[in-house]
Amino acid sequence: MGAGQKIKAPRGTEDILPEAWLRRRRIEIEAEALFSRAGYGRIGTPVFEDTDLFARGVGEDTDIVQKEMFTFEDLGGRSVTLRPEGTAAICRAYVEHGMHKLPQPVRLWYQGDFFRYEAPQAGRYRQFTQLGLEAIGSDLPEADAEAISLLDELVRTLGVPGVRLAIGSIGSADSRAAYRRELQEHLRKHEQELAHEVRERIATNPLRAFDSKDESTRAVMEAAPKLVDRLDDADAEHFEAVKGHLDALGIDYEVDPTLVRGLDYYTRTVFAIKCDRLGAQSEIGGGGRFDGLIAELGGPQVPAIGWAMGIERVLLALESESDGREASAQGADVFVAVADPDERKRALVFVHEVRRKGLSCEMDLAGRGLKGQFKQADRVGATYTVILEPDGGAQLKEMSSGEQAELDTGAILDRLVSEAGGEL
Ligand code: HAM
Protein backbone atom coordinates (compact mmCIF):
# COMPACT_ATOMS: atom_id res chain seq x y z
CA MET A 1 0.00 0.00 0.00
CA GLY A 2 1.36 3.40 -1.01
CA ALA A 3 2.27 6.12 1.46
CA GLY A 4 -0.60 8.51 2.19
CA GLN A 5 -3.25 5.91 1.32
CA LYS A 6 -5.83 5.17 4.00
CA ILE A 7 -5.44 1.88 5.85
CA LYS A 8 -8.60 0.18 7.05
CA ALA A 9 -9.13 -2.38 9.81
CA PRO A 10 -8.59 -5.91 8.42
CA ARG A 11 -11.61 -7.67 6.86
CA GLY A 12 -13.86 -9.25 9.47
CA THR A 13 -12.53 -7.11 12.34
CA GLU A 14 -13.90 -3.98 13.97
CA ASP A 15 -12.79 -1.14 16.17
CA ILE A 16 -14.61 -0.93 19.48
CA LEU A 17 -15.35 2.73 20.23
CA PRO A 18 -16.04 4.10 23.73
CA GLU A 19 -19.87 3.77 23.65
CA ALA A 20 -19.58 0.19 22.42
CA TRP A 21 -17.22 -0.58 25.31
CA LEU A 22 -19.89 0.52 27.76
CA ARG A 23 -22.32 -2.03 26.30
CA ARG A 24 -19.67 -4.75 26.41
CA ARG A 25 -18.69 -3.90 29.97
CA ARG A 26 -22.29 -4.26 31.09
CA ILE A 27 -22.39 -7.80 29.74
CA GLU A 28 -19.10 -8.65 31.43
CA ILE A 29 -20.20 -7.18 34.77
CA GLU A 30 -23.54 -9.07 34.75
CA ALA A 31 -21.77 -12.28 33.79
CA GLU A 32 -19.05 -11.93 36.40
CA ALA A 33 -21.61 -11.35 39.17
CA LEU A 34 -23.68 -14.35 38.06
CA PHE A 35 -20.65 -16.64 37.70
CA SER A 36 -19.06 -15.68 40.98
CA ARG A 37 -22.32 -16.43 42.83
CA ALA A 38 -22.02 -19.92 41.32
CA GLY A 39 -18.40 -20.37 42.40
CA TYR A 40 -16.66 -19.73 39.07
CA GLY A 41 -13.24 -18.08 39.03
CA ARG A 42 -11.88 -16.24 36.02
CA ILE A 43 -9.16 -17.76 33.86
CA GLY A 44 -7.12 -16.22 31.06
CA THR A 45 -5.08 -18.21 28.57
CA PRO A 46 -2.73 -17.00 25.80
CA VAL A 47 -4.15 -15.60 22.60
CA PHE A 48 -1.89 -17.98 20.66
CA GLU A 49 -1.00 -21.59 21.37
CA ASP A 50 0.87 -24.47 19.76
CA THR A 51 -1.06 -25.40 16.61
CA ASP A 52 -1.10 -29.00 17.78
CA LEU A 53 -3.34 -28.12 20.74
CA PHE A 54 -6.21 -27.13 18.46
CA ALA A 55 -5.51 -29.82 15.85
CA ARG A 56 -5.83 -32.48 18.56
CA GLY A 57 -8.35 -30.73 20.77
CA VAL A 58 -10.84 -29.32 18.28
CA GLY A 59 -10.33 -32.16 15.79
CA GLU A 60 -8.45 -32.58 12.49
CA ASP A 61 -11.67 -33.09 10.52
CA THR A 62 -13.48 -29.98 11.68
CA ASP A 63 -13.97 -26.88 9.51
CA ILE A 64 -12.17 -24.88 12.16
CA VAL A 65 -8.94 -26.86 11.91
CA GLN A 66 -9.14 -27.53 8.19
CA LYS A 67 -9.78 -24.04 6.92
CA GLU A 68 -10.38 -21.41 9.57
CA MET A 69 -7.25 -21.14 11.66
CA PHE A 70 -4.84 -18.22 11.68
CA THR A 71 -1.73 -20.37 11.76
CA PHE A 72 1.79 -19.09 11.24
CA GLU A 73 5.36 -19.92 11.97
CA ASP A 74 6.94 -17.72 14.63
CA LEU A 75 10.51 -16.46 14.27
CA GLY A 76 11.73 -19.53 16.18
CA GLY A 77 10.19 -21.83 13.56
CA ARG A 78 7.32 -23.09 15.76
CA SER A 79 3.84 -23.44 14.32
CA VAL A 80 1.48 -21.33 16.42
CA THR A 81 -2.22 -20.53 16.00
CA LEU A 82 -4.39 -17.64 17.15
CA ARG A 83 -6.96 -19.36 19.36
CA PRO A 84 -10.18 -20.20 17.48
CA GLU A 85 -11.93 -21.23 20.72
CA GLY A 86 -11.26 -21.45 24.44
CA THR A 87 -11.98 -24.97 25.68
CA ALA A 88 -8.87 -26.76 24.42
CA ALA A 89 -6.60 -24.16 26.02
CA ILE A 90 -8.46 -24.28 29.32
CA CYS A 91 -8.08 -28.06 29.40
CA ARG A 92 -4.38 -27.63 28.65
CA ALA A 93 -4.13 -25.19 31.56
CA TYR A 94 -6.09 -27.59 33.82
CA VAL A 95 -3.51 -30.31 33.13
CA GLU A 96 -0.49 -27.99 33.19
CA HIS A 97 -1.42 -26.57 36.62
CA GLY A 98 -2.38 -29.92 38.11
CA MET A 99 -5.93 -28.71 38.76
CA HIS A 100 -7.18 -32.30 38.99
CA LYS A 101 -5.70 -32.24 42.51
CA LEU A 102 -8.10 -29.46 43.54
CA PRO A 103 -11.60 -30.23 44.84
CA GLN A 104 -13.70 -31.08 41.78
CA PRO A 105 -15.32 -29.75 39.77
CA VAL A 106 -13.05 -26.83 39.01
CA ARG A 107 -15.30 -24.01 37.83
CA LEU A 108 -13.71 -21.51 35.45
CA TRP A 109 -15.03 -18.66 33.31
CA TYR A 110 -13.37 -16.54 30.67
CA GLN A 111 -13.82 -13.72 28.25
CA GLY A 112 -11.52 -12.85 25.40
CA ASP A 113 -10.82 -12.49 21.73
CA PHE A 114 -10.92 -15.44 19.37
CA PHE A 115 -9.99 -15.77 15.71
CA ARG A 116 -11.45 -17.76 12.84
CA TYR A 117 -10.79 -17.21 9.17
CA GLU A 118 -14.45 -17.33 8.13
CA ALA A 119 -16.31 -15.41 5.41
CA PRO A 120 -17.41 -12.26 7.26
CA GLN A 121 -21.11 -11.39 7.43
CA ALA A 122 -23.47 -9.93 10.03
CA GLY A 123 -22.70 -11.77 13.27
CA ARG A 124 -19.68 -13.60 11.85
CA TYR A 125 -16.24 -12.08 12.14
CA ARG A 126 -12.60 -13.08 11.94
CA GLN A 127 -11.92 -11.63 15.36
CA PHE A 128 -14.76 -11.95 17.86
CA THR A 129 -15.29 -12.06 21.60
CA GLN A 130 -16.47 -15.08 23.53
CA LEU A 131 -17.64 -15.22 27.09
CA GLY A 132 -17.81 -18.73 28.44
CA LEU A 133 -17.38 -21.15 31.28
CA GLU A 134 -16.22 -24.70 31.93
CA ALA A 135 -16.99 -26.95 34.92
CA ILE A 136 -14.25 -29.58 34.90
CA GLY A 137 -14.34 -32.76 36.97
CA SER A 138 -17.97 -33.84 37.23
CA ASP A 139 -19.95 -36.25 35.10
CA LEU A 140 -23.16 -35.74 37.07
CA PRO A 141 -26.19 -34.56 35.11
CA GLU A 142 -26.56 -31.85 37.76
CA ALA A 143 -23.36 -30.28 36.40
CA ASP A 144 -24.93 -30.16 32.93
CA ALA A 145 -28.06 -28.57 34.37
CA GLU A 146 -26.01 -26.00 36.29
CA ALA A 147 -24.00 -24.99 33.23
CA ILE A 148 -27.07 -24.74 30.99
CA SER A 149 -29.00 -22.81 33.63
CA LEU A 150 -26.19 -20.24 33.87
CA LEU A 151 -26.33 -19.64 30.11
CA ASP A 152 -30.10 -19.37 30.24
CA GLU A 153 -29.94 -17.03 33.23
CA LEU A 154 -27.30 -14.80 31.66
CA VAL A 155 -29.25 -14.40 28.44
CA ARG A 156 -32.35 -13.60 30.50
CA THR A 157 -30.55 -11.08 32.75
CA LEU A 158 -29.14 -9.31 29.71
CA GLY A 159 -32.62 -9.12 28.20
CA VAL A 160 -31.74 -10.81 24.91
CA PRO A 161 -35.03 -11.06 23.00
CA GLY A 162 -36.42 -14.00 21.03
CA VAL A 163 -34.22 -16.76 22.43
CA ARG A 164 -34.74 -20.50 22.17
CA LEU A 165 -32.73 -23.23 23.91
CA ALA A 166 -32.17 -26.51 22.08
CA ILE A 167 -30.55 -29.54 23.68
CA GLY A 168 -29.54 -32.96 22.48
CA SER A 169 -27.26 -35.84 23.34
CA ILE A 170 -24.62 -37.25 21.05
CA GLY A 171 -23.72 -40.09 23.39
CA SER A 172 -20.30 -41.29 24.37
CA ALA A 173 -17.55 -42.23 21.93
CA ASP A 174 -18.62 -45.90 21.92
CA SER A 175 -22.31 -45.45 21.16
CA ARG A 176 -21.34 -42.87 18.57
CA ALA A 177 -19.02 -45.26 16.74
CA ALA A 178 -21.81 -47.77 16.07
CA TYR A 179 -24.18 -44.98 15.09
CA ARG A 180 -21.59 -43.45 12.77
CA ARG A 181 -21.46 -46.65 10.74
CA GLU A 182 -25.25 -46.74 10.49
CA LEU A 183 -25.35 -43.10 9.38
CA GLN A 184 -22.57 -43.65 6.85
CA GLU A 185 -24.58 -46.48 5.33
CA HIS A 186 -27.62 -44.23 5.03
CA LEU A 187 -25.54 -41.46 3.44
CA ARG A 188 -23.88 -43.84 0.96
CA LYS A 189 -27.29 -45.16 -0.06
CA HIS A 190 -28.30 -41.57 -0.94
CA GLU A 191 -24.94 -40.36 -2.14
CA GLN A 192 -26.30 -38.89 -5.39
CA GLU A 193 -28.72 -36.64 -3.50
CA LEU A 194 -26.07 -35.13 -1.22
CA ALA A 195 -24.24 -31.81 -1.57
CA HIS A 196 -20.64 -32.13 -2.71
CA GLU A 197 -19.05 -31.17 0.65
CA VAL A 198 -21.31 -33.61 2.53
CA ARG A 199 -20.36 -36.45 0.17
CA GLU A 200 -16.71 -35.63 0.70
CA ARG A 201 -17.05 -36.04 4.45
CA ILE A 202 -19.02 -39.28 4.65
CA ALA A 203 -15.89 -41.11 5.75
CA THR A 204 -14.42 -38.48 8.05
CA ASN A 205 -17.26 -36.48 9.59
CA PRO A 206 -20.70 -37.85 8.61
CA LEU A 207 -22.50 -36.11 11.49
CA ARG A 208 -21.88 -32.71 10.01
CA ALA A 209 -24.35 -33.63 7.25
CA PHE A 210 -27.06 -32.55 9.72
CA ASP A 211 -25.70 -29.00 9.48
CA SER A 212 -26.07 -28.77 5.70
CA LYS A 213 -28.23 -25.98 4.28
CA ASP A 214 -28.61 -27.83 0.97
CA GLU A 215 -32.25 -28.69 0.30
CA SER A 216 -31.76 -32.17 -1.12
CA THR A 217 -29.26 -33.09 1.62
CA ARG A 218 -31.77 -31.95 4.21
CA ALA A 219 -34.40 -34.29 2.80
CA VAL A 220 -31.94 -37.19 3.09
CA MET A 221 -31.18 -36.17 6.67
CA GLU A 222 -34.87 -36.00 7.63
CA ALA A 223 -35.04 -39.71 7.00
CA ALA A 224 -31.65 -40.46 8.55
CA PRO A 225 -31.38 -42.43 11.81
CA LYS A 226 -30.94 -40.10 14.78
CA LEU A 227 -28.21 -40.52 17.35
CA VAL A 228 -30.54 -39.59 20.18
CA ASP A 229 -32.50 -42.81 19.39
CA ARG A 230 -29.31 -44.90 19.46
CA LEU A 231 -27.85 -43.89 22.81
CA ASP A 232 -26.70 -46.71 25.05
CA ASP A 233 -28.50 -47.14 28.37
CA ALA A 234 -26.08 -45.09 30.46
CA ASP A 235 -26.07 -42.18 27.99
CA ALA A 236 -29.85 -42.25 27.62
CA GLU A 237 -30.27 -42.25 31.38
CA HIS A 238 -27.86 -39.32 31.71
CA PHE A 239 -29.81 -37.36 29.11
CA GLU A 240 -33.13 -38.10 30.81
CA ALA A 241 -31.69 -36.85 34.10
CA VAL A 242 -30.44 -33.61 32.50
CA LYS A 243 -33.88 -32.97 31.02
CA GLY A 244 -35.53 -33.71 34.35
CA HIS A 245 -33.27 -31.18 36.09
CA LEU A 246 -34.01 -28.51 33.51
CA ASP A 247 -37.72 -29.15 34.01
CA ALA A 248 -37.28 -28.79 37.77
CA LEU A 249 -35.47 -25.48 37.19
CA GLY A 250 -38.32 -24.26 34.99
CA ILE A 251 -36.04 -23.81 31.99
CA ASP A 252 -37.73 -23.96 28.58
CA TYR A 253 -35.98 -26.09 25.99
CA GLU A 254 -36.67 -28.24 23.02
CA VAL A 255 -34.92 -31.47 22.20
CA ASP A 256 -33.23 -31.22 18.82
CA PRO A 257 -32.16 -34.70 17.65
CA THR A 258 -30.12 -33.15 14.82
CA LEU A 259 -28.10 -30.79 16.99
CA VAL A 260 -24.48 -31.28 16.01
CA ARG A 261 -21.74 -28.85 16.79
CA GLY A 262 -18.66 -27.85 14.87
CA LEU A 263 -16.14 -29.20 17.36
CA ASP A 264 -15.13 -32.84 17.70
CA TYR A 265 -14.66 -33.02 21.46
CA TYR A 266 -18.30 -33.20 22.49
CA THR A 267 -19.80 -36.21 24.24
CA ARG A 268 -23.30 -36.70 25.66
CA THR A 269 -25.10 -33.39 26.27
CA VAL A 270 -24.93 -30.65 23.61
CA PHE A 271 -26.94 -27.44 23.57
CA ALA A 272 -27.31 -24.11 21.81
CA ILE A 273 -29.24 -20.90 22.28
CA LYS A 274 -30.58 -19.25 19.14
CA CYS A 275 -32.09 -15.81 18.71
CA ASP A 276 -34.83 -15.24 16.13
CA ARG A 277 -33.86 -11.54 15.71
CA LEU A 278 -30.62 -12.49 13.98
CA GLY A 279 -30.15 -13.65 10.41
CA ALA A 280 -28.13 -16.65 9.33
CA GLN A 281 -25.78 -16.44 12.33
CA SER A 282 -28.52 -16.91 14.89
CA GLU A 283 -26.64 -18.99 17.45
CA ILE A 284 -25.85 -16.76 20.39
CA GLY A 285 -24.12 -19.40 22.43
CA GLY A 286 -23.64 -23.09 22.79
CA GLY A 287 -21.62 -25.87 24.28
CA GLY A 288 -21.75 -29.31 25.73
CA ARG A 289 -19.93 -32.06 27.57
CA PHE A 290 -16.37 -32.99 26.65
CA ASP A 291 -15.60 -36.04 28.75
CA GLY A 292 -12.64 -37.19 26.63
CA LEU A 293 -10.81 -33.96 25.86
CA ILE A 294 -8.52 -33.73 28.86
CA ALA A 295 -7.30 -37.30 28.35
CA GLU A 296 -6.87 -36.56 24.63
CA LEU A 297 -4.54 -33.72 25.64
CA GLY A 298 -2.41 -36.01 27.79
CA GLY A 299 -4.17 -35.43 31.11
CA PRO A 300 -6.16 -37.78 33.33
CA GLN A 301 -9.60 -39.06 32.35
CA VAL A 302 -11.69 -36.16 33.64
CA PRO A 303 -15.25 -35.34 32.50
CA ALA A 304 -16.29 -31.73 31.90
CA ILE A 305 -18.99 -29.46 30.53
CA GLY A 306 -19.10 -25.85 29.35
CA TRP A 307 -20.29 -23.30 26.84
CA ALA A 308 -19.39 -20.05 25.15
CA MET A 309 -21.46 -17.10 24.04
CA GLY A 310 -20.63 -14.73 21.17
CA ILE A 311 -20.64 -11.17 22.52
CA GLU A 312 -21.09 -9.51 19.11
CA ARG A 313 -24.19 -11.62 18.45
CA VAL A 314 -25.64 -10.74 21.84
CA LEU A 315 -25.02 -7.06 21.08
CA LEU A 316 -26.73 -7.37 17.68
CA ALA A 317 -29.72 -9.07 19.31
CA LEU A 318 -29.95 -6.36 21.97
CA GLU A 319 -29.66 -3.63 19.33
CA SER A 320 -32.63 -5.08 17.47
CA GLU A 321 -34.73 -4.04 20.50
CA SER A 322 -32.94 -0.89 21.61
CA ASP A 323 -34.70 2.48 21.67
CA GLY A 324 -31.64 4.09 20.11
CA ARG A 325 -30.73 5.94 23.30
CA GLU A 326 -27.09 5.47 23.97
CA ALA A 327 -25.27 5.79 27.22
CA SER A 328 -22.46 8.26 26.71
CA ALA A 329 -18.94 7.24 27.45
CA GLN A 330 -17.92 10.83 28.00
CA GLY A 331 -19.08 13.03 30.83
CA ALA A 332 -17.74 15.04 33.71
CA ASP A 333 -19.06 16.25 37.05
CA VAL A 334 -16.94 19.38 36.86
CA PHE A 335 -15.60 21.47 34.00
CA VAL A 336 -12.79 23.90 34.62
CA ALA A 337 -12.77 26.96 32.34
CA VAL A 338 -10.16 29.69 32.08
CA ALA A 339 -10.97 33.31 31.43
CA ASP A 340 -7.46 33.78 30.06
CA PRO A 341 -5.14 31.25 28.38
CA ASP A 342 -2.42 32.17 30.88
CA GLU A 343 -4.49 30.41 33.58
CA ARG A 344 -4.15 27.02 31.91
CA LYS A 345 -1.36 25.85 34.16
CA ARG A 346 -3.48 26.69 37.23
CA ALA A 347 -6.40 24.87 35.63
CA LEU A 348 -4.29 21.81 34.97
CA VAL A 349 -3.29 21.62 38.63
CA PHE A 350 -6.85 22.26 39.85
CA VAL A 351 -8.32 19.58 37.54
CA HIS A 352 -5.77 17.15 38.92
CA GLU A 353 -6.82 17.96 42.51
CA VAL A 354 -10.53 17.56 41.73
CA ARG A 355 -9.90 14.16 40.10
CA ARG A 356 -7.89 13.08 43.12
CA LYS A 357 -10.99 13.73 45.22
CA GLY A 358 -12.75 11.12 43.11
CA LEU A 359 -14.76 13.45 40.87
CA SER A 360 -14.67 13.41 37.10
CA CYS A 361 -13.30 16.66 35.83
CA GLU A 362 -12.26 18.09 32.47
CA MET A 363 -10.74 21.26 31.12
CA ASP A 364 -10.52 22.68 27.64
CA LEU A 365 -7.63 21.41 25.56
CA ALA A 366 -8.78 22.80 22.23
CA GLY A 367 -7.96 26.47 22.84
CA ARG A 368 -11.64 27.55 22.98
CA GLY A 369 -12.69 31.02 24.09
CA LEU A 370 -14.71 31.37 27.30
CA LYS A 371 -18.03 31.02 25.43
CA GLY A 372 -16.81 27.88 23.69
CA GLN A 373 -15.67 26.45 27.02
CA PHE A 374 -19.16 26.93 28.49
CA LYS A 375 -20.61 25.13 25.50
CA GLN A 376 -18.17 22.30 26.05
CA ALA A 377 -19.13 22.16 29.74
CA ASP A 378 -22.76 21.67 28.61
CA ARG A 379 -21.75 19.01 26.12
CA VAL A 380 -19.97 16.90 28.73
CA GLY A 381 -22.94 17.31 31.04
CA ALA A 382 -21.01 19.06 33.82
CA THR A 383 -22.97 19.81 36.99
CA TYR A 384 -20.57 22.62 37.89
CA THR A 385 -18.20 24.82 35.97
CA VAL A 386 -15.28 26.45 37.73
CA ILE A 387 -13.98 29.61 36.07
CA LEU A 388 -10.43 30.56 36.93
CA GLU A 389 -9.77 34.29 36.63
CA PRO A 390 -6.51 36.07 35.85
CA ASP A 391 -6.34 37.80 39.25
CA GLY A 392 -6.14 34.47 41.06
CA GLY A 393 -9.86 34.49 41.83
CA ALA A 394 -12.38 31.87 40.85
CA GLN A 395 -16.12 31.43 40.33
CA LEU A 396 -18.25 28.37 40.84
CA LYS A 397 -21.20 28.13 38.48
CA GLU A 398 -24.02 25.68 39.00
CA MET A 399 -25.02 24.73 35.46
CA SER A 400 -28.69 23.90 36.06
CA SER A 401 -29.59 27.17 37.81
CA GLY A 402 -26.91 29.40 36.29
CA GLU A 403 -26.10 30.60 39.83
CA GLN A 404 -22.55 31.81 40.23
CA ALA A 405 -20.48 32.46 43.38
CA GLU A 406 -17.07 34.05 43.82
CA LEU A 407 -14.93 31.80 46.03
CA ASP A 408 -11.30 30.81 46.39
CA THR A 409 -10.30 27.51 44.83
CA GLY A 410 -9.86 25.78 48.21
CA ALA A 411 -13.45 26.61 49.18
CA ILE A 412 -14.65 25.48 45.74
CA LEU A 413 -12.90 22.16 46.17
CA ASP A 414 -14.50 21.67 49.61
CA ARG A 415 -17.90 22.53 48.24
CA LEU A 416 -17.55 20.14 45.28
CA VAL A 417 -16.49 17.34 47.58
CA SER A 418 -19.35 17.90 50.01
CA GLU A 419 -21.87 18.09 47.13
CA ALA A 420 -20.45 14.88 45.71
CA GLY A 421 -21.20 13.21 49.05
CA GLY A 422 -24.83 13.66 47.99
CA GLU A 423 -24.90 13.07 44.28
CA LEU A 424 -23.21 15.23 41.76
P1 HAM B 1 -18.73 -22.42 19.21
O1 HAM B 1 -20.13 -22.85 19.01
O2 HAM B 1 -17.77 -22.68 18.11
O3 HAM B 1 -18.27 -23.12 20.55
O4 HAM B 1 -18.71 -20.89 19.55
C1 HAM B 1 -19.47 -20.37 20.61
C2 HAM B 1 -20.15 -19.07 20.19
O5 HAM B 1 -19.19 -18.14 19.68
C3 HAM B 1 -21.14 -19.24 19.05
O6 HAM B 1 -22.39 -19.65 19.54
C4 HAM B 1 -21.20 -17.84 18.47
O7 HAM B 1 -22.11 -17.04 19.22
C5 HAM B 1 -19.78 -17.32 18.70
N1 HAM B 1 -19.00 -17.38 17.46
C6 HAM B 1 -18.39 -18.44 16.91
N2 HAM B 1 -17.75 -18.11 15.76
C7 HAM B 1 -17.97 -16.78 15.57
C8 HAM B 1 -17.56 -15.83 14.58
N3 HAM B 1 -16.80 -16.17 13.55
N4 HAM B 1 -17.99 -14.55 14.72
C9 HAM B 1 -18.75 -14.19 15.78
N5 HAM B 1 -19.15 -15.04 16.74
C10 HAM B 1 -18.77 -16.32 16.65
C11 HAM B 1 -17.02 -23.01 21.09
O8 HAM B 1 -16.19 -22.23 20.72
C12 HAM B 1 -16.82 -23.91 22.29
N6 HAM B 1 -15.45 -23.68 22.80
C13 HAM B 1 -17.84 -23.66 23.35
C14 HAM B 1 -17.67 -24.56 24.52
C15 HAM B 1 -17.15 -24.26 25.71
N7 HAM B 1 -17.99 -25.84 24.55
C16 HAM B 1 -17.67 -26.34 25.73
N8 HAM B 1 -17.14 -25.38 26.45
Side-chain angles (χ1 to χ4, degrees):
M1 203 171 299
Q5 259 187 314
K6 278 189 191 146
I7 300 174
K8 288 190 173 165
R11 201 166 132 69
T13 69
E14 62 171 356
D15 300 310
I16 304 166
L17 303 183
E19 273 74 22
W21 271 119
L22 288 185
R23 292 193 294 268
R24 283 168 178 255
R25 274 290 291 155
R26 183 177 86 82
I27 296 176
E28 187 178 339
I29 288 167
E30 297 278 11
E32 180 159 28
L34 177 68
F35 297 160
S36 76
R37 287 198 297 272
Y40 284 76
R42 187 167 186 164
I43 185 168
T45 60
V47 163
F48 64 91
E49 298 266 359
D50 274 359
T51 301
D52 195 37
L53 172 69
F54 301 116
R56 267 160 64 193
V58 174
E60 293 280 5
D61 294 322
T62 59
D63 279 351
I64 293 181
V65 171
Q66 285 193 351
K67 48 186 193 198
E68 293 172 2
M69 296 209 300
F70 281 90
T71 296
F72 57 96
E73 204 171 274
D74 72 8
L75 294 178
R78 301 170 202 94
S79 178
V80 293
T81 293
L82 298 184
R83 58 183 182 183
E85 65 100 49
T87 310
I90 290 174
C91 290
R92 175 199 52 68
Y94 177 91
V95 176
E96 196 166 327
H97 300 280
M99 290 193 231
H100 59 282
K101 293 186 208 122
L102 300 173
Q104 306 292 303
V106 175
R107 292 182 171 94
L108 302 166
W109 76 274
Y110 60 95
Q111 176 171 297
D113 293 334
F114 294 86
F115 306 85
R116 293 182 194 177
Y117 194 83
E118 295 195 80
Q121 65 177 93
R124 188 164 71 196
Y125 312 100
R126 290 185 176 167
Q127 176 173 342
F128 56 98
T129 310
Q130 278 188 356
L131 178 88
L133 58 79
E134 322 286 1
I136 307 177
S138 171
D139 62 0
L140 292 179
E142 292 76 33
D144 304 51
E146 179 183 275
I148 296 171
S149 74
L150 286 168
L151 176 57
D152 180 77
E153 187 75 18
L154 181 58
V155 165
R156 225 176 264 280
T157 311
L158 296 173
V160 184
V163 289
R164 225 159 19 93
L165 168 67
I167 68 167
S169 175
I170 59 169
S172 46
D174 288 347
S175 60
R176 206 155 57 231
Y179 168 77
R180 238 174 99 108
R181 283 192 292 277
E182 190 185 347
L183 180 63
Q184 280 166 333
E185 247 168 61
H186 176 80
L187 293 173
R188 288 215 180 86
K189 229 187 280 163
H190 298 275
E191 207 160 338
Q192 296 317 313
E193 298 146 63
L194 299 176
H196 175 72
E197 76 272 8
V198 176
R199 224 180 303 156
E200 295 250 288
R201 284 199 290 203
I202 295 181
T204 54
N205 202 349
L207 268 104
R208 285 311 298 264
F210 284 110
D211 265 355
S212 176
K213 304 256 181 308
D214 172 67
E215 196 102 346
S216 150
T217 306
R218 288 180 86 109
V220 175
M221 299 321 287
E222 287 274 311
K226 305 291 185 309
L227 183 47
V228 80
D229 302 320
R230 300 289 187 276
L231 299 179
D232 67 25
D233 289 350
D235 292 344
E237 209 175 288
H238 193 275
F239 190 44
E240 283 309 309
V242 173
K243 286 189 289 180
H245 294 337
L246 295 179
D247 292 338
L249 288 165
I251 294 173
D252 274 337
Y253 62 86
E254 59 199 56
V255 173
D256 180 354
T258 66
L259 189 64
V260 283
R261 304 190 35 76
L263 303 115
D264 269 1
Y265 49 63
Y266 290 117
T267 53
R268 293 192 159 173
T269 314
V270 286
F271 53 94
I273 287 200
K274 292 196 173 185
C275 170
D276 64 15
R277 310 296 151 92
L278 301 179
Q281 304 306 318
S282 62
E283 194 189 286
I284 286 206
R289 249 190 192 285
F290 42 100
D291 290 347
L293 179 56
I294 291 171
E296 174 72 34
L297 297 175
Q301 178 56 51
V302 177
I305 178 144
W307 53 260
M309 186 172 98
I311 296 297
E312 290 78 10
R313 293 187 191 173
V314 170
L315 290 169
L316 283 175
L318 291 173
E319 257 166 47
S320 72
E321 289 267 289
S322 104
D323 57 9
R325 269 183 301 175
E326 287 273 341
S328 170
Q330 259 119 15
D333 302 327
V334 181
F335 192 86
V336 177
V338 289
D340 185 295
D342 285 346
E343 298 306 308
R344 278 205 199 113
K345 187 194 261 177
R346 225 175 115 215
L348 197 64
V349 174
F350 187 67
V351 165
H352 191 68
E353 280 176 50
V354 177
R355 288 180 185 161
R356 277 201 163 156
K357 297 286 181 196
L359 300 176
S360 59
C361 183
E362 284 182 29
M363 67 180 276
D364 169 59
L365 292 180
R368 295 180 180 89
L370 194 54
K371 219 166 127 198
Q373 294 179 64
F374 281 130
K375 245 194 209 157
Q376 184 61 11
D378 272 333
R379 256 184 237 128
V380 301
T383 314
Y384 286 100
T385 297
V386 178
I387 305 128
L388 300 181
E389 284 164 343
D391 56 6
Q395 309 250 359
L396 178 66
K397 182 176 175 184
E398 187 179 22
M399 299 302 277
S400 58
S401 62
E403 256 172 54
Q404 208 159 310
E406 173 104 42
L407 293 164
D408 67 45
T409 47
I412 290 178
L413 198 57
D414 289 345
R415 170 106 176 256
L416 290 173
V417 170
S418 76
E419 296 278 335
E423 66 190 64
L424 205 66

